[in-house]
Amino acid sequence: MTSDPMIDTPDLVGTRVGRYDVLSLLGRGGMGAVYDAVDSTLGRHVALKVLPTAVAGDAKRLARFVQEARAASALNHPNVVAIYEIGRELVGSQEIYFIAMEKVEGRSLRAVLSGSRLPIPQAIELVAQISDAIAAAHSAGIVHRDLKPENVVMSGRGTPKVLDFGLAKLRLDDEIWSLDGETAIRSTASGVILGTVGYMSPEQAQGKTADHRSDIFSLGCILYEAVAGHRAFAAGSSVETLSAIINAVPSPLRESSPSAPAELQRMVSKAMAKHADERYQSAKELSIDLRAMLRETSETSTSPPRATPRRFAAIAFLVVAAVLLIAAIAWVARYRSASPALEPSSLSMTVRRVTARGNVVHAAISPDGRFVAFSLLDGPIRLRQLATGQELELYRPEGTGVWGVTFTPDGNSVVFVAKDPQNPVGSCFRIPSIGGRPEHLFDGIDSAPSFSPDGSQVTFVRGEFPSPGASALVVANIDGSSYRAIAIRRSPERFTPNSFTAPSWSPDGKWIATAVKRDADPQTCKLVLIDPKSGAEKVLLDRNWPFITMAAWLPDGGGIITVASSESSDMIGLQLWLVSYPSGDAKKITGELAAYRGVTIAADGSQLVSIVIEANAQMWSVPLTDPRAAKKISAGRFDGWRGLTLTPDGRIVFTSVEDRVQTLMISNRDGTERSRLTRDDYSNQYPAALRDGVAYVSSTPARNEVCVIGFDGEERRVLASHVDASPIAISRDGAWLIFRRNRRLWKMPMNGGEAKQLLTDVSSSPEWSPTGDRIAVLLGDPDIYAARLGVISAADGRLLWQAPLSGVRVGSTIRWLPDSSGLLVNGGPEDTRNLWVHPFTGKPRRLTEFNDQLSFFWDLSADGKDAVIARATISRDAVLITDFR
């Protein structure tokens, strides 16, 4: 069909609609007619959109229009066309419904593109601004559903403004029709196709349910077109274009734009991934990447200085040579004086992204270096061929967390570990590398496994084994038989039993390398070698580092690649290091612009695969009576990343990174007048406000301490030593402190005195009740997403109430409802983006409506009406590293 029953609208030129004098028709489309009109009250021009008769005469569709338009009118963003009024008016004998919106003098993005490509910096800036608008809409719970160049208006100053938010829902559900060969609508037994051919997502093209990630696909299409100069998906007919969206991959950007950076291609590919869970998970993430790319493009495209005239050439040469000589001398001097452990690896090292999903948990390279297997945050295990980029889904578990992905030595199978809150004892499985049904091998594993040289045995770490508080290095046959602990650590030492660690069997089979951490003395970590037969040990590396987590022997036995942090007590400081064997000399391989997790090495030792972690956190002020009015109040990269607290006088104390040190900052409630509170070089985190100061955890070179400091930054004093780097809590009357030691919660008087262990179980994130007689806690280990929400007696630690909590991780914060009828937690059923109310009777309910970013540490105002939340974007992807030795 070529006609559209929805464009049946009256001719209103020369009439008055409400207080608007209609001057001229600007255009007609699928959602009605748009007129140039003047607001007779304010004297400003507006764009007056009049709905088609088909909408105005359908009560259900009309109600949906009002709901969507009201939501869109709440948006206040410089890149969103503002909606001034939604109304209805009797014109002649016909009742019409209209929207009065901002009239933008300019032309559509479609006219700007018109088959030509934009300069890359201009294209990036353009789509970054559109992404900001989409992110603002998504935060307000609005999905556009029909994002395309026609729905973006370019102002006279070149600013893009997006219109028609949420209105795609109003299209007819029972017909197929076309506007200029662009719009496809279809109702079938399987679903409804809504959107514009060429820009709709694969799930829209298949009539499936579409969420905010469909808008991200459309953003990718617009970015592609702006850079390449042609559409990503354009075939001979609408049906063929739909098929291409579902099945085809657009030609690389460099075929049309040779100067397009490879990183830009990665971002476009990630935005246009066929599966929604493989795309950017928020428009804000895309905007952040685009602006980072824009900065890089601006730096590399800066014009070189004008050529030196010939008569000054000799002088210029001598000046340059002198500068280079001085720089070389300084570099050599620094090299000779610096500790070898702080020197980076060879400048020839290359790092290449393998995935572009942002939610990769673990990854491993096959022994022959041809494949990478990786697991995703929502469970699936996939296999990627490095040469072609082709992928295969090996396994998709249901409701189970998966990590520890490892190839068997022959490369024929992939081994992985699975765990869930209902089954906290990890299970090991094996699946053919070509796909198939997983084979259960054995239970009782808390780390990634490592194989003996002949592949007949595995070694791994087990936590809380063979007794509570202990940990063990275990060796077993591949089928789980001959399961035995060859080394045991008890408090205060432990093998690092979390999902991001792994021991490693040496190529000659004589040693197993593994990390040992001393609890409560955080910067005492060792890399030890243990004989798998006798259990004899020797220390290879003993440094005052906060973390050593994973080990991977080089195939020639000449060293071990380990994941460690030499300075920061935050996991975000983890880097790859090469520890030589047998000398134990350590050399940093990676820099510090991102953190790394995990490492596996190909059999020839030329390639390794790791996970790169990039994070960005800012603070938001959220009125709980109207969460849609949330407002960002900070702009630092790590604001609130490791804790924040509201002071009695209404200010915020929060963590940030200043001069590479994690410090405490203090600001007004709106983020203004920001200043540094702690001025030492220690890593300070997890603040808890007092009446006249703040308590916090300070990681010194010797130990973790709970300290108190005044709001003026003076008189630092120590309350407790030998504690874990974990959140603390102060009772409402200021008399009691709760801290974590050896992964358990302890209680002590604030004025000094003996500390008493409250719980024998692993526990964290305490929060005192308003009455002071109860304490809310997380029971279990959030490191492995296996915690429960609980309430214990403040007197003796007796468990009073508990409930499962699937949306949990490091950063989960508990607060009490003002009437003590339940708890507020930044986590709920499979959701770590929002605040949830967890009543003691009844089901949890979501309080906020954030669709992007994770909610980390947060605090509640004294009256319970407002919250300040650290919201973060975390991206995790597999990378391939070569020439690292």
Side-chain angles (χ1 to χ4, degrees), residues 644-885:
L644 62 85
T645 186
L646 293 176
T647 66
D649 61 1
R651 290 183 289 174
I652 312 171
V653 176
F654 58 96
T655 62
S656 188
V657 175
E658 301 288 332
D659 301 323
R660 294 178 60 199
V661 175
Q662 186 165 263
T663 188
L664 295 186
M665 307 290 291
I666 188 168
S667 75
N668 291 335
R669 179 61 184 274
D670 61 1
T672 60
E673 297 188 23
R674 170 185 178 129
S675 62
R676 187 166 176 173
L677 186 59
T678 54
R679 302 181 182 90
D680 51 47
D681 292 329
Y682 306 146
S683 181
N684 299 316
Q685 53 202 321
Y686 309 120
L690 304 170
R691 184 172 302 171
D692 54 358
V694 61
Y696 61 98
V697 176
S698 181
S699 296
T700 74
R703 64 187 65 85
N704 283 331
E705 301 172 335
V706 177
C707 300
V708 171
I709 195 170
F711 290 132
D712 57 2
E714 302 295 335
E715 297 184 5
R716 175 185 185 274
R717 61 188 178 91
V718 178
L719 293 179
S721 297
H722 303 288
V723 305
D724 294 350
S726 185
I728 60 175
I730 309 294
S731 60
R732 303 296 174 95
D733 60 5
W736 292 92
L737 163 72
I738 295 182
F739 59 85
R740 198 180 192 223
R741 175 181 289 163
N742 301 334
R743 308 172 75 213
R744 274 78 178 168
L745 291 178
W746 293 62
K747 166 186 165 185
M748 69 171 287
M750 284 287 288
N751 59 3
E754 182 181 358
K756 174 185 176 183
Q757 184 172 329
L758 271 176
L759 288 170
T760 57
D761 293 335
V762 174
S763 46
S764 61
S765 301
E767 175 66 1
W768 287 87
S769 67
T771 55
D773 60 339
R774 291 171 292 168
I775 302 166
V777 298
L778 287 181
L779 301 167
D781 195 342
D783 282 330
I784 54 177
Y785 306 96
R788 305 181 313 282
L789 194 57
V791 174
I792 63 174
S793 165
D796 55 15
R798 178 169 44 91
L799 183 62
L800 305 175
W801 174 87
Q802 64 175 325
L805 183 62
S806 55
V808 63
R809 55 178 149 52
V810 175
S812 292
T813 304
I814 306 172
R815 294 293 181 262
W816 287 76
L817 291 173
D819 62 1
S820 298
S821 63
L823 305 173
L824 281 169
V825 185
N826 51 329
E830 307 300 331
D831 178 20
T832 54
R833 297 184 178 95
N834 290 286
L835 297 184
W836 285 73
V837 175
H838 293 262
F840 295 136
T841 58
K843 295 182 179 180
R845 60 181 177 87
R846 188 168 60 183
L847 190 61
T848 58
E849 297 291 336
F850 297 129
N851 293 319
D852 60 351
Q853 298 186 289
L854 301 175
S855 293
F856 270 71
F857 293 92
W858 68 283
D859 201 4
L860 189 66
S861 61
D863 60 9
K865 295 182 179 180
D866 302 276
V868 173
I869 307 175
R871 300 179 63 208
T873 298
I874 304 178
S875 176
R876 310 175 187 89
D877 275 303
V879 291
L880 179 73
I881 301 178
T882 57
D883 298 321
F884 51 85
R885 298 185 67 177

Side-chain angles (χ1 to χ4, degrees), residues 515-682:
V516 174
K517 177 177 174 61
R518 182 177 176 84
D519 282 328
D521 287 331
Q523 298 190 20
T524 305
C525 285
K526 296 182 288 187
L527 190 63
V528 300
L529 304 180
I530 300 176
D531 185 328
K533 295 180 179 178
S534 66
E537 300 183 17
K538 65 179 181 180
V539 177
L540 179 63
L541 178 73
D542 189 354
R543 293 288 177 89
N544 58 338
W545 289 356
F547 292 108
I548 301 177
T549 64
M550 180 168 278
W553 279 90
L554 293 170
D556 62 8
I560 297 168
I561 304 293
T562 188
V563 183
S565 176
S566 63
E567 297 176 5
S568 171
S569 67
D570 197 314
M571 295 291 282
I572 203 68
L574 292 171
Q575 302 295 318
L576 300 183
W577 293 73
L578 172 59
V579 181
S580 298
Y581 177 78
S583 68
D585 294 334
K587 179 176 70 173
K588 188 186 292 185
I589 296 175
T590 53
E592 297 179 352
L593 297 180
Y596 290 81
R597 172 196 295 168
V599 57
T600 61
I601 308 172
D604 63 2
S606 66
Q607 305 175 90
L608 68 82
V609 162
S610 183
I611 301 293
V612 63
I613 307 173
E614 298 162 305
N616 198 309
Q618 291 86 36
M619 295 187 300
W620 289 67
S621 178
V622 183
L624 298 185
T625 54
D626 183 15
R628 291 188 175 185
K631 180 181 179 181
K632 185 165 67 172
I633 58 174
S634 74
R637 186 181 173 192
F638 294 112
D639 288 350
W641 173 256
R642 277 297 175 260
L644 62 85
T645 186
L646 293 176
T647 66
D649 61 1
R651 290 183 289 174
I652 312 171
V653 176
F654 58 96
T655 62
S656 188
V657 175
E658 301 288 332
D659 301 323
R660 294 178 60 199
V661 175
Q662 186 165 263
T663 188
L664 295 186
M665 307 290 291
I666 188 168
S667 75
N668 291 335
R669 179 61 184 274
D670 61 1
T672 60
E673 297 188 23
R674 170 185 178 129
S675 62
R676 187 166 176 173
L677 186 59
T678 54
R679 302 181 182 90
D680 51 47
D681 292 329
Y682 306 146

Side-chain angles (χ1 to χ4, degrees), residues 231-276:
R231 300 189 188 191
F233 305 101
S237 67
S238 297
V239 173
E240 291 173 323
T241 302
L242 288 172
S243 177
I245 289 172
I246 296 170
N247 301 302
V249 176
S251 59
L253 285 176
R254 284 192 173 179
E255 290 187 6
S256 304
S257 181
S259 60
E263 181 66 5
L264 184 59
Q265 175 66 62
R266 180 195 71 82
M267 287 188 277
V268 169
S269 298
K270 182 174 180 178
M272 293 195 298
K274 301 299 183 186
H275 298 287

